[in-house]
Each structure stands twice: as C-alpha cells, then as structure tokens.
Amino acid sequence: VFMVMQFASSTASAVTASEEMQIPYSTSQEEMGDAVAIQISRSSIVVDGEQVVELRGDGLVDAADKQNGGSGFKIIPLHRQMQDIRQQQMQLNQALNRGEWEGEVMIIADHRTPFRTLSEVLYTVGQSGFKNLRFVAGRTSTIGGPPARE
C-alpha cells in the first residue's frame, strides 16, 4: 500500500516529455499531494502507471469503450479502474483512521489532447466519486520565456 501511495505522489515529477506526452507549461509553484495519476497521451489513458484505455489515432476514445456509444461520456474501463482505486483508498483511510476520504486526482494530459477526450475523462472520474481534480503542467523559467525542460 505504501508503494502505491509513494508512486502516486512521485508520478508528476517522473513525467518525461516525448512525442506521445508533451504537457503544457505553467508558472504555478503549488506542490501536488497524494493523488491518483491519470496520464492522457496521444495513444492511451494510463492510471497510476497502468494502461486502461487505448485511444484512436485522433486521440479520441473509441465508441465501444463508452457507455451509450459514440455520444456517451462515461469511459467504461476507466470508470471500473477508478472505482477499484476508490474502494482501496477508502479501506486504507478507514484502516489508518485518516478521516474522510479526499478523492484526489491529478490529470497529466498531452497539450494536444482533444477537448472531447478530456471532457470524457473528467466526467468519468467525477462519476467514480473523485471530487478533487488537479491538472499537472511543466514549469517555465520566466514568464513569457521559453519553457525550461526538467
């Protein structure tokens, strides 16, 4: 259990830019706490290091993976995975007497992710009971300057 929590908190700093994953940049200095990491690349949706959904070539979720087909917003495999994680986290919170479960998620998305895909991920995460959503961005060295690669 500790390894899962440790992995989630270190995921944002371990993201490396590639052709598949280029995150947007920001000047915010806020640190991320323990949260479930959801990465949306050009080809897949990955939850805490495990590929859950393969995306089509255009970065969209296939209709077969969504409730109500092409017009649906709930991504079925992602919903199942998030519910499993929610159940595990709630049990851990209860066992450690941590109080109320926070339900935090950090979204790490390629800057070219289609809005439709991002909307579907956000909807699915919300339907799974997670309420605190944060977006991860890279840091820039100066405002308006070129992005610093870390």
Side-chain angles (χ1 to χ4, degrees), residues 11-111:
T11 302
S13 61
V15 174
T16 55
S18 69
E19 187 59 36
E20 286 291 314
M21 179 62 78
Q22 296 178 14
I23 61 174
Y25 291 94
S26 171
T27 58
S28 173
Q29 298 298 317
E30 186 171 339
E31 292 295 320
M32 296 297 298
D34 289 335
V36 178
I38 299 178
Q39 293 182 336
I40 309 169
S41 72
R42 299 288 292 157
S43 61
S44 64
I45 299 173
V46 175
V47 178
D48 280 344
E50 180 182 332
Q51 181 175 321
V52 177
V53 179
E54 188 173 332
L55 300 176
R56 298 187 327 212
D58 55 3
L60 296 173
V61 178
D62 191 87
D65 288 327
K66 297 188 290 186
Q67 185 178 21
N68 300 325
S71 63
F73 269 81
K74 186 188 286 186
I75 305 168
I76 298 167
L78 178 60
H79 186 256
R80 273 193 231 116
Q81 181 74 9
M82 295 306 292
Q83 287 202 308
D84 289 346
I85 290 170
R86 177 179 178 242
Q87 186 66 30
Q88 291 170 0
Q89 287 186 351
M90 290 178 81
Q91 288 174 349
L92 179 63
N93 263 14
Q94 190 174 34
L96 298 175
N97 292 320
R98 287 188 178 167
E100 190 175 341
W101 175 69
E102 297 289 325
E104 291 192 33
V105 171
M106 61 179 160
I107 306 289
I108 309 162
D110 182 271
H111 71 93

Side-chain angles (χ1 to χ4, degrees), residues 105-133:
V105 171
M106 61 179 160
I107 306 289
I108 309 162
D110 182 271
H111 71 93
R112 301 163 292 184
T113 300
F115 184 73
R116 175 71 189 205
T117 302
L118 189 57
S119 298
E120 291 168 354
V121 168
L122 294 176
Y123 177 80
T124 303
V125 167
Q127 291 296 303
S128 303
F130 289 82
K131 297 177 179 84
N132 299 322
L133 308 175

